[in-house]
Amino acid sequence: MPTFQNLLKGIKAEIREIDVQGTKAALDQATPPAIVDVREQDEYVQGYIPGAVWIPRGFLEQKIEDAVPDRAAPIIVYCAGGTRSALAARSLIELGYTNVKSMAGGFGAWKRTGLPWKAPTVLSREQEQRYSRHTLLPEVGVKGQIKLLEGRVLCIGAGGLGSPSSLYLAAAGVGTLGLIDDDVVDATNLQRQILHSLDRVGMPKVDSAEKTLNGLNPDVRVQKHKARLTSDNVMEILSGYDVIVDGADNFQTRYLVNDAALKLGKPVVHASIFRFEGQITVFPAEGGPCYRCLYPEPPPPEEAPSCQEAGVLGVLPGIMGVLQATETVKILLGLGTTLAGRLVVYDALKTRFRELKLRRDPKCPTCGDGVDRSKIQLIDYAQFCAGN
Ligand SMILES: [Zn+2]
């Protein structure tokens, strides 16, 4: 009867091993090998090698074909110390894989050498419960929920559009929600700005919003920017986020958000409302179209609408803000088809959605052909009328 030690020695003689430095060098190549982590869940959640596919040893034979269909593809297998991965490597060879190596020393040696590793976020018991209707969707799953929890979204404005969009994003578990608004809650806001309440009249909107959003979901880290966007602060504020939800109530902010987002390569989910009508589209991070393809320049100040109070049906921003939240979640999850290149116009009186094609304008000053986006100049246009 061979002892386990003898068995292992025999296996190690049959397979090929690679040390952690060799693994790192292989992973840094232009076409790196597949790296497979065969440890158990409680080990994996403590940290893993970036880029690794996690298949616990017990599932390896069943699942490897989905992860690495090509049997000639180079594979490096690792476990905690190099023993299980040696056994795993032999199984893969038996399955017909021809270029398999086991990482000697395992993840322990990797970590001790000071090589980079990542700690995955896992759902707590409370989160498993809270997000179960998400994780039940195969298109979302635990992986998607973790993406949302790691997601960083900035809502421009905590008003009519920012209220429903931030509420649904918080409910969905978007982990970091930025809100920029320099206003205070006013009694006339309450007809549509459902983040706020009567007892908070006079309170800064970002403070009121934080209270509501954390009351709904304590997982969400609310980052408050009690400011007005200007060419001085827009780059710094936007750079901290993955997706920008533009619910601005004025043109100068929309241009500033558009131009800065193009410079930074961030997608913008844009909506606006007026009386009984709302519009929504997505300006993608790459390519176009952008806001300036729609409206190249703001109207000159003398033609700008006068600053009287514009009316708006209170429910309307609810519809448009929820559509913005939907597009944002899709972008974070990489699901479905966004509204990039399409403008949806909602007429509340006729209950009609119309879809218009939006094309990138090759002559657009900010996303046109040959434009160097890093050189876009940010402009602070004179303030003109608000409509939110
Ligand atoms: Zn453009």
Side-chain angles (χ1 to χ4, degrees), residues 159-160 183-194 196-198 201-202 205 309-314 317 388:
D183 216 352
V184 296
V185 179
D186 181 281
T188 65
N189 300 151
L190 302 177
Q191 162 251 26
R192 63 199 178 284
Q193 300 185 12
I194 56 172
H196 314 301
S197 52
L198 191 57
V201 167
K205 283 189 183 175
E309 296 293 322
V312 64
L313 190 70
N388 194 9

Side-chain angles (χ1 to χ4, degrees), residues 74-97:
I75 302 177
I76 296 175
V77 194
Y78 74 91
C79 61
T83 301
R84 280 172 290 167
S85 61
L87 301 173
R90 196 180 64 163
S91 294
L92 293 181
I93 292 166
E94 283 171 357
L95 273 174
Y97 286 87

Side-chain angles (χ1 to χ4, degrees), residues 258 262 288-294 360-361 364-368:
N258 179 73
L262 284 169
C290 78
Y291 187 67
R292 284 187 193 269
C293 295
L294 254 181
R360 187 180 68 92
D361 177 0
C364 171
T366 44
C367 79

Side-chain angles (χ1 to χ4, degrees), residues 347-365:
D347 181 336
L349 288 182
K350 295 195 179 115
T351 315
R352 186 174 289 162
F353 285 90
R354 277 179 301 141
E355 186 178 308
L356 309 169
K357 237 190 172 53
L358 276 189
R359 286 199 174 81
R360 187 180 68 92
D361 177 0
K363 293 200 185 76
C364 171

